[in-house]
Amino acid sequence: MRLEDNLSDLQRVTDLLNIAPISLDFVTSMCGKHLGSGTYRSVFEYNLDEKYVIKIEPRNTNCNQVEYTLWEEIKGLTGDLAWVKDWFAPVKWISPNGRILLMQKTKEDFNKEYPEKIPKFMWDVKPDNFGWIGKNLVCHDYGQFYSFIEYSKKMKKVDWSW
C-alpha cells in the first residue's frame, strides 16, 4: 500500500514535515550538489545513488510529469522503434504529486564528438539539454514536449555551437 492511499499516515508525515529541521534533514539527505536550474526546475545530485539526479519542480508546471509519462511510453518501444530509447535519459521514479523526479545522470564529455544529426522529433535542442550515458548522447531535459511525438527515423542537422 502506498502512503498517499492512507490519509491518516499521510497526515502524520505532513505534521512531521511542517517541523522545519525535519524537512531540512529530509531534503538535504536526498539532494546533493546543485547541478543546475531551468525556468521550472532545479536539478541536484541524488545522495542515495550517484547514478541518478533528482529534479525538483517547486511550481507544478508538469515538466516532471511529462518526462515521466514520455519515458514510460519510450521504454516500452520495441522492434523498429527500439532505437528511440537511445536518445533519452531514463526516468527511475516520480513522486505521487510529480514535484520530484529521479532520472539517470548524464555526463558532460567535451572530448566526445556530438552527432551532426539527431532525430527530427527532438524538440528543445540545445547543448544544456543533452549529456552522455555511455557512448550515447541523450536528452535529459524533455519536459517541454507538448504534443504527440511521431518516432520517425528522419534526422535533422544541429548546430551545437551555442
Side-chain angles (χ1 to χ4, degrees), residues 6-8 13 18 20 23 35 47 51-52 54 59 62 66 68 81 84 96 104 107 110-111 117 120 127 139 157 162:
N6 188 334
L7 292 179
S8 64
V13 170
N18 284 331
S23 290
L35 300 174
N47 275 339
K51 294 182 298 197
Y52 296 95
I54 186 166
R59 293 176 289 147
N62 289 322
V66 168
Y68 175 77
L81 293 177
V84 173
Q104 189 170 345
K107 295 181 180 173
F110 300 109
N111 295 321
K117 294 182 178 183
K120 192 173 182 177
C139 183
K157 271 193 138 176
W162 286 50

Side-chain angles (χ1 to χ4, degrees), residues 39-53:
T39 305
Y40 305 115
R41 302 182 286 181
S42 290
V43 181
F44 299 86
E45 289 180 341
Y46 182 49
N47 275 339
L48 302 180
D49 190 336
E50 64 186 27
K51 294 182 298 197
Y52 296 95
V53 295

Side-chain angles (χ1 to χ4, degrees), residues 43-119:
V43 181
F44 299 86
E45 289 180 341
Y46 182 49
N47 275 339
L48 302 180
D49 190 336
E50 64 186 27
K51 294 182 298 197
Y52 296 95
V53 295
I54 186 166
K55 295 184 175 189
I56 298 180
E57 184 179 353
R59 293 176 289 147
N60 198 8
T61 56
N62 289 322
C63 293
N64 283 348
Q65 188 63 51
V66 168
E67 282 182 346
Y68 175 77
T69 303
L70 191 53
W71 177 251
E72 285 297 300
E73 175 182 317
I74 291 167
K75 77 178 185 182
L77 296 176
T78 60
D80 289 344
L81 293 177
W83 65 274
V84 173
K85 290 181 256 196
D86 293 339
W87 287 97
F88 293 90
V91 172
K92 169 96 171 153
W93 176 84
I94 191 169
S95 64
N97 69 13
R99 305 261 178 132
I100 301 169
L101 179 123
L102 289 181
M103 177 179 276
Q104 189 170 345
K105 187 177 187 177
T106 64
K107 295 181 180 173
E108 287 183 356
D109 190 341
F110 300 109
N111 295 321
K112 290 186 178 181
E113 192 171 321
Y114 280 62
E116 187 176 307
K117 294 182 178 183
I118 64 169

Side-chain angles (χ1 to χ4, degrees), residues 111-157:
N111 295 321
K112 290 186 178 181
E113 192 171 321
Y114 280 62
E116 187 176 307
K117 294 182 178 183
I118 64 169
K120 192 173 182 177
F121 58 75
M122 296 303 236
W123 155 252
D124 191 10
V125 181
K126 58 186 177 185
D128 288 350
N129 290 349
F130 288 79
W132 296 91
I133 295 178
K135 62 181 171 95
N136 293 330
L137 180 70
V138 298
C139 183
H140 57 229
D141 186 355
Y142 48 96
Q144 296 295 319
F145 279 93
Y146 293 113
S147 60
F148 177 78
I149 299 172
E150 180 183 342
Y151 300 116
S152 165
K153 289 191 176 188
K154 292 180 181 175
M155 305 294 266
K156 64 181 176 184
K157 271 193 138 176

